[in-house]
Amino acid sequence: MHQTPVCRRIVLLGAGRVAQHLGPALWRAGHAVTHIWSRTPASAAALAAQVPGAVPVTSLALPAADLYILCVPDGAVSAVLATAEFPPGALVVHTAGALPLAVFAAYPAVRGGVLYPLQTFSAGRSIDWPTIPLCVEAATAADQELLLQVACSLSQVVELVATPQRQALHVAAVFACNFTNHLLGIGHALLQEAVLPFGLLEPLIRETVHKALAHPPFTVQTGPAVRHDAATLARHEAMLTAHPSWQQIYKQLTASIQGQQEPQPSNNELPPRL
Amino acid sequence: MHQTPVCRRIVLLGAGRVAQHLGPALWRAGHAVTHIWSRTPASAAALAAQVPGAVPVTSLALPAADLYILCVPDGAVSAVLATAEFPPGALVVHTAGALPLAVFAAYPAVRGGVLYPLQTFSAGRSIDWPTIPLCVEAATAADQELLLQVACSLSQVVELVATPQRQALHVAAVFACNFTNHLLGIGHALLQEAVLPFGLLEPLIRETVHKALAHPPFTVQTGPAVRHDAATLARHEAMLTAHPSWQQIYKQLTASIQGQQEPQPSNNELPPRL
């Protein structure tokens, strides 16, 4: 559907984690990342050194380009839009899951868009770009087409996702990823207290995730909550008194699991077991 | 340390998910699973058909064996112990993470022990036994040695784990696995409502887990909670009003994440990004 990638002149605004992963990937995909802006000269220079041909800049009087990609925190997007001097009619996209396309409405001199990479970016971890879902949104068909081309040059998983859907995706990602990480952290901390290696949980964690990706997760729920094992639930809650916040999470998630599914038919020999 | 596996005569009590995975694995490891008890004749027969040499029984007048393994729900362990007629001095183990070794104290005619496989067992999913942590506990050195031998014949990851540690492990597993599955279920449901495929989250979920297994999870926390992104948090909470239970979980986990770590140094260009 989308043809051979066209080389685009791209300016990156921001030099943080997203830009650090996106800049080199755009270059490898054949684009010309001409300038990298950061308010911190050292950051702009450090990233520009990783992207052949890129010039670090700290001025927001920006040169002409086909596409400007904002890689700044959500809270800084409006400030950068208000301050930057884009050439008239510039195509400017943000990379935030949570921000609406309408964030550009106050800046009619630019064409707004969204290029949201659905991944968690960490310093020092490499990213397998072809597998990362890229969610694209634009106000016009022409801009949409240009963004789809750029996205398809990076990834094989490109979706047109309107603002409300993207925001739902973002909330879902908070549950499935940010919150999951916190639960894994609680598990890690509890094992540390018991002087046991976290690695003991690794096969169980991997199987849990494989199973949840292969079946609707609510249908494969296991553990004392879903089997209404009151004795175990009470013992676990008692064991968590030293961690009131985790005890609250335990109660809340247990209640949510029990509210989600009807109790399974009682059968002493087919228990869903941890 | 532990020598060539010795063939043991083993009786399984229970024919549910744990027994369905354990019975064939014990046979493949060279043991003689002589009898499989279930109060449901069809269940005993169905599992015995999967384990060469095993005889299904419904009577709790049990024949002689080296080891009796209880694969019944936690709540049924005491009832089975009270009802079964083991040969005097029989070695009987349960397979429960949550139950203490002391559950055997009321039954002095048997030697008690624990063989706890740290995995989630589902019908129709195969289990990679050599990688599954097996936690062993016994009251005497001789029983411990026998259980270690049996465990080592099944898995390469065998640990002596005393009751309080095993119970901590069990709580940790509830957080890291049962609760994680529920969060993945919430993510799945939110995407369904937005008519988006759950597969969009798969690379992010996989990366989250890889990262959490490679680093202490609290140190790699990302998302709006840890970066104190009040605007996004408020928007997400508002989006969850149709799901009060999930909204409560959102607030609780956000508070726990924010209580766990100090706010990161403010730097507009190095945000931890979802």
Side-chain angles (χ1 to χ4, degrees):
Chain A
M1 171 184 164
H2 301 293
Q3 302 76 30
T4 319
V6 179
C7 166
R8 301 291 180 181
R9 295 169 304 155
I10 297 174
V11 172
L12 288 187
L13 293 105
R17 298 187 202 184
V18 174
Q20 286 163 21
H21 284 98
L22 192 55
L26 287 166
W27 176 76
R28 285 194 303 270
H31 301 289
V33 179
T34 61
H35 296 80
I36 294 170
W37 170 87
S38 166
R39 59 176 193 173
T40 314
S43 303
L47 181 51
Q50 305 296 316
V51 183
V55 175
V57 294
T58 52
S59 159
L60 276 170
L62 297 166
D66 301 309
L67 177 62
Y68 300 79
I69 304 180
L70 294 168
C71 303
V72 299
D74 295 16
V77 163
S78 287
V80 171
L81 285 175
T83 314
E85 297 166 32
F86 296 101
L91 176 58
V92 185
V93 300
H94 71 65
T95 50
L99 290 181
L101 178 63
V103 77
F104 293 100
Y107 309 96
V110 303
R111 295 137 57 203
V114 182
L115 181 68
Y116 169 47
L118 189 53
Q119 186 51 286
T120 174
F121 296 97
S122 306
R125 287 187 69 86
S126 71
I127 289 289
D128 183 28
W129 278 95
T131 66
I132 294 185
L134 296 178
C135 302
V136 164
E137 187 177 13
T140 69
D143 289 347
Q144 186 174 292
E145 186 57 26
L146 188 151
L147 292 180
L148 285 174
Q149 284 178 4
V150 171
C152 288
S153 72
L154 293 171
S155 171
Q156 290 158 11
V157 189
V158 174
E159 300 274 345
L160 281 174
V161 178
T163 291
Q165 280 185 302
R166 190 179 63 255
Q167 291 178 326
L169 192 50
H170 194 246
V171 185
V174 168
F175 277 96
C177 300
N178 302 150
F179 288 169
T180 287
N181 183 75
H182 188 63
L183 293 185
L184 296 175
I186 294 172
H188 182 273
L190 290 170
L191 288 200
Q192 268 193 324
E193 288 178 10
V195 197
L196 287 167
F198 189 48
L200 281 181
L201 283 181
E202 187 168 330
L204 184 51
I205 292 168
R206 290 195 189 282
E207 170 67 5
T208 298
V209 170
H210 290 161
K211 197 155 65 171
L213 291 172
H215 310 274
F218 285 153
T219 69
V220 293
Q221 184 66 51
T222 58
V226 76
R227 66 176 183 264
H228 292 257
D229 178 346
T232 299
L233 294 171
R235 202 184 299 108
H236 284 177
E237 285 179 25
M239 289 172 68
L240 292 166
T241 33
H243 300 289
S245 156
W246 302 348
Q247 192 185 47
Q248 273 306 109
I249 291 171
Y250 191 97
K251 289 179 185 175
Q252 194 76 50
L253 279 160
T254 293
S256 183
I257 289 170
Q258 295 186 340
Q260 189 62 43
Q261 297 190 269
E262 292 306 305
Q264 307 217 335
S266 166
N267 178 335
N268 274 346
E269 291 166 26
L270 287 165
R273 279 291 286 280
L274 181 66
Chain B
M1 169 183 163
H2 301 294
Q3 302 79 28
T4 320
V6 178
C7 167
R8 302 292 181 182
R9 293 169 305 156
I10 297 174
V11 172
L12 288 187
L13 292 106
R17 299 186 201 185
V18 174
Q20 286 164 20
H21 284 99
L22 191 55
L26 287 166
W27 176 76
R28 286 194 303 270
H31 301 288
V33 179
T34 61
H35 297 80
I36 295 170
W37 171 86
S38 166
R39 58 176 192 172
T40 313
S43 303
L47 180 51
Q50 305 296 316
V51 183
V55 174
V57 294
T58 52
S59 158
L60 276 170
L62 297 166
D66 300 311
L67 176 62
Y68 300 80
I69 305 180
L70 294 169
C71 303
V72 298
D74 295 17
V77 164
S78 287
V80 172
L81 285 175
T83 313
E85 297 167 32
F86 297 102
L91 176 58
V92 185
V93 300
H94 71 64
T95 50
L99 290 182
L101 179 61
V103 78
F104 293 100
Y107 309 96
V110 302
R111 295 136 57 204
V114 183
L115 180 66
Y116 170 46
L118 189 53
Q119 187 51 282
T120 175
F121 296 98
S122 307
R125 287 187 68 87
S126 70
I127 288 289
D128 183 29
W129 278 96
T131 65
I132 295 185
L134 295 178
C135 302
V136 164
E137 186 178 13
T140 69
D143 289 346
Q144 185 174 293
E145 184 58 25
L146 188 151
L147 293 180
L148 286 174
Q149 283 178 6
V150 171
C152 289
S153 72
L154 292 171
S155 171
Q156 290 158 14
V157 189
V158 174
E159 299 274 345
L160 281 174
V161 178
T163 290
Q165 279 184 303
R166 190 180 63 256
Q167 291 178 327
L169 192 49
H170 193 246
V171 185
V174 168
F175 277 96
C177 301
N178 302 151
F179 288 170
T180 287
N181 183 75
H182 188 64
L183 294 185
L184 296 175
I186 294 172
H188 182 272
L190 291 170
L191 289 200
Q192 269 194 323
E193 288 177 11
V195 198
L196 287 167
F198 189 47
L200 280 180
L201 282 180
E202 186 168 330
L204 184 51
I205 292 168
R206 291 195 187 284
E207 170 68 5
T208 298
V209 170
H210 290 160
K211 196 156 65 172
L213 290 172
H215 310 274
F218 285 153
T219 67
V220 292
Q221 184 66 51
T222 57
V226 76
R227 65 175 186 264
H228 291 255
D229 177 345
T232 299
L233 294 171
R235 202 184 300 108
H236 284 177
E237 285 178 25
M239 288 172 68
L240 292 165
T241 32
H243 301 288
S245 156
W246 303 348
Q247 192 185 48
Q248 274 306 107
I249 291 171
Y250 191 98
K251 289 179 185 174
Q252 194 76 47
L253 279 160
T254 293
S256 184
I257 290 169
Q258 295 186 339
Q260 190 61 43
Q261 297 188 270
E262 293 305 306
Q264 308 217 334
S266 167
N267 178 335
N268 274 348
E269 289 167 25
L270 286 166
R273 279 291 285 281
L274 180 64

